[in-house]
Amino acid sequence: KQWYQRRVAITAGESVTFDTFMYLTVPVGKSRTNLASCIENFCQTEKIEWRCDKCHVMGDATKDITIWRLPTILVVILKRFSYTGMWRDKITTFVDFPITNFRAVVGEVNWVSNKEEGRIYRLFGVTNHTGTLEGGHYIGCARNPLSGDWFTYDDHVIRPMKADQTRKKEAYLLFYTSVNERDDIRQLNFKG
């Protein structure tokens, strides 16, 4: 299980909650950015109005998120669809993301706990969304775990590609595997 900690600090005290997650849905801004910045924006401290669990009084509070336990497989959803009232929009900002050596480090925002800092991830898949909110198409890119070669999957058409061709402004889902674990597919025994 993966855990993140949500801490809410109010005038009278602090509330700490641990929640599980299967994937991270991180915001994408309007200008070119990178994955680490998107995750830091997801975890940054924000001001909220909060009802204290103990005294039940409403008051101003701050909320921040720290990823307490990172998974072996990390799935990141780039939040590309925005809704404002009755208006919907697709965000087409280019998000740069690492293919190898994505390191969980504490930056300006503490988005990862100290025990998880330094964990390294390698990209093994990307799902791209082309089109609009009303109609679109998904194209997958994946790395063969045995050969290390990359392929693009567009319906029934499969083509080889270079790893750096996975970085597109249409990137929607990112799939990473931890390289710190001893569960690399090459080490698995597939004999029945």
Side-chain angles (χ1 to χ4, degrees), residues 80-81 83 88-92 129-138 170:
R80 294 205 174 270
F81 306 107
Y83 303 93
R88 301 181 309 165
D89 193 23
K90 181 178 176 186
I91 302 167
T92 58
H129 179 269
T130 60
T132 65
L133 291 172
E134 288 76 31
H137 183 66
Y138 292 95
E170 294 87 6

Coordinates of all heavy atoms in Angstrom, one line a residue, residues 80-81 83 88-92 129-138 170:
R80 N -5.2 17.2 -17.0 CA -5.2 18.0 -18.2 C -6.7 18.5 -18.5 O -6.9 19.1 -19.5 CB -4.7 17.2 -19.4 CG -3.2 16.9 -19.3 CD -2.7 16.7 -20.7 NE -1.2 16.5 -20.6 CZ -0.4 17.5 -20.7 NH1 -0.8 18.7 -20.8 NH2 0.9 17.3 -20.7
F81 N -7.6 18.1 -17.7 CA -9.0 18.5 -18.0 C -9.4 19.4 -16.8 O -9.4 19.1 -15.7 CB -9.9 17.3 -18.1 CG -9.4 16.4 -19.1 CD1 -8.8 15.1 -18.7 CD2 -9.5 16.7 -20.5 CE1 -8.4 14.2 -19.7 CE2 -9.0 15.8 -21.4 CZ -8.4 14.6 -21.0
Y83 N -12.4 22.2 -15.2 CA -13.8 22.5 -15.3 C -14.0 23.8 -14.4 O -13.7 23.8 -13.3 CB -14.6 21.4 -14.7 CG -14.4 20.1 -15.4 CD1 -13.5 19.2 -14.9 CD2 -15.2 19.8 -16.5 CE1 -13.2 18.0 -15.6 CE2 -15.0 18.6 -17.2 CZ -14.0 17.7 -16.7 OH -13.8 16.5 -17.4
R88 N -15.6 23.7 -19.8 CA -14.6 22.7 -19.7 C -13.5 23.0 -20.7 O -13.7 23.5 -21.8 CB -15.2 21.3 -20.1 CG -16.4 20.9 -19.2 CD -16.9 19.6 -19.5 NE -17.3 19.4 -20.9 CZ -17.5 18.3 -21.5 NH1 -17.5 17.2 -20.8 NH2 -17.8 18.2 -22.8
D89 N -12.3 22.6 -20.3 CA -11.1 22.9 -21.2 C -10.1 21.8 -21.0 O -10.0 21.2 -20.0 CB -10.5 24.3 -20.7 CG -9.5 24.8 -21.7 OD1 -9.6 24.4 -22.9 OD2 -8.7 25.6 -21.3
K90 N -9.3 21.6 -22.1 CA -8.2 20.7 -22.1 C -6.9 21.5 -22.0 O -6.7 22.4 -22.7 CB -8.2 19.8 -23.3 CG -7.0 18.8 -23.2 CD -7.0 17.9 -24.4 CE -5.7 17.0 -24.4 NZ -5.6 16.2 -25.5
I91 N -6.1 21.1 -21.0 CA -4.8 21.8 -20.8 C -3.7 21.1 -21.7 O -3.5 19.9 -21.5 CB -4.4 21.9 -19.3 CG1 -5.5 22.5 -18.5 CG2 -3.1 22.6 -19.1 CD1 -5.4 22.4 -17.0
T92 N -3.1 21.8 -22.6 CA -2.2 21.2 -23.5 C -0.7 21.6 -23.2 O 0.1 21.5 -24.1 CB -2.5 21.6 -25.0 OG1 -2.5 23.0 -25.1 CG2 -3.9 21.1 -25.4
H129 N -3.1 11.5 -24.8 CA -4.4 11.7 -25.2 C -4.4 12.8 -26.3 O -3.9 13.9 -26.0 CB -5.3 12.2 -24.0 CG -6.7 12.5 -24.4 ND1 -7.1 13.8 -24.8 CD2 -7.8 11.8 -24.5 CE1 -8.4 13.8 -25.1 NE2 -8.8 12.5 -25.0
T130 N -4.9 12.5 -27.5 CA -5.0 13.5 -28.5 C -6.4 13.9 -28.7 O -7.3 13.1 -28.4 CB -4.4 12.9 -29.9 OG1 -5.2 11.8 -30.2 CG2 -2.9 12.6 -29.7
G131 N -6.7 15.0 -29.2 CA -8.0 15.5 -29.4 C -8.5 16.4 -28.4 O -7.7 17.1 -27.7
T132 N -9.8 16.5 -28.2 CA -10.5 17.4 -27.3 C -11.2 16.7 -26.2 O -11.2 15.4 -26.2 CB -11.5 18.3 -28.1 OG1 -12.5 17.5 -28.6 CG2 -10.8 19.0 -29.3
L133 N -11.9 17.4 -25.4 CA -12.8 16.8 -24.4 C -14.0 16.1 -25.0 O -14.4 15.0 -24.5 CB -13.3 17.9 -23.4 CG -12.3 18.5 -22.5 CD1 -12.9 19.7 -21.7 CD2 -11.7 17.5 -21.5
E134 N -14.5 16.6 -26.1 CA -15.6 16.0 -26.7 C -15.3 14.7 -27.5 O -16.1 13.8 -27.7 CB -16.3 17.0 -27.7 CG -17.0 18.1 -27.0 CD -16.1 19.1 -26.4 OE1 -15.0 19.4 -27.0 OE2 -16.4 19.7 -25.3
G135 N -14.1 14.6 -28.0 CA -13.6 13.4 -28.7 C -12.1 13.4 -28.8 O -11.5 14.4 -29.0
G136 N -11.6 12.2 -28.6 CA -10.2 12.1 -28.5 C -9.7 10.6 -28.8 O -10.6 9.8 -29.1
H137 N -8.5 10.4 -28.7 CA -7.9 9.1 -29.0 C -6.7 8.9 -28.0 O -5.9 9.8 -27.7 CB -7.4 9.1 -30.4 CG -6.8 7.8 -30.9 ND1 -7.6 6.7 -31.0 CD2 -5.6 7.5 -31.3 CE1 -6.8 5.7 -31.4 NE2 -5.6 6.1 -31.6
Y138 N -6.5 7.7 -27.5 CA -5.4 7.4 -26.7 C -4.4 6.5 -27.4 O -4.8 5.6 -28.2 CB -5.9 6.6 -25.5 CG -6.8 7.4 -24.5 CD1 -8.2 7.4 -24.6 CD2 -6.2 8.2 -23.6 CE1 -9.0 8.1 -23.8 CE2 -7.0 9.0 -22.7 CZ -8.4 8.9 -22.8 OH -9.2 9.7 -22.0
E170 N 1.0 15.8 -25.3 CA -0.2 15.0 -25.1 C -0.1 14.0 -24.0 O -1.1 13.3 -23.7 CB -0.6 14.3 -26.4 CG -1.0 15.2 -27.6 CD 0.2 15.6 -28.4 OE1 1.4 15.2 -28.1 OE2 0.0 16.5 -29.3

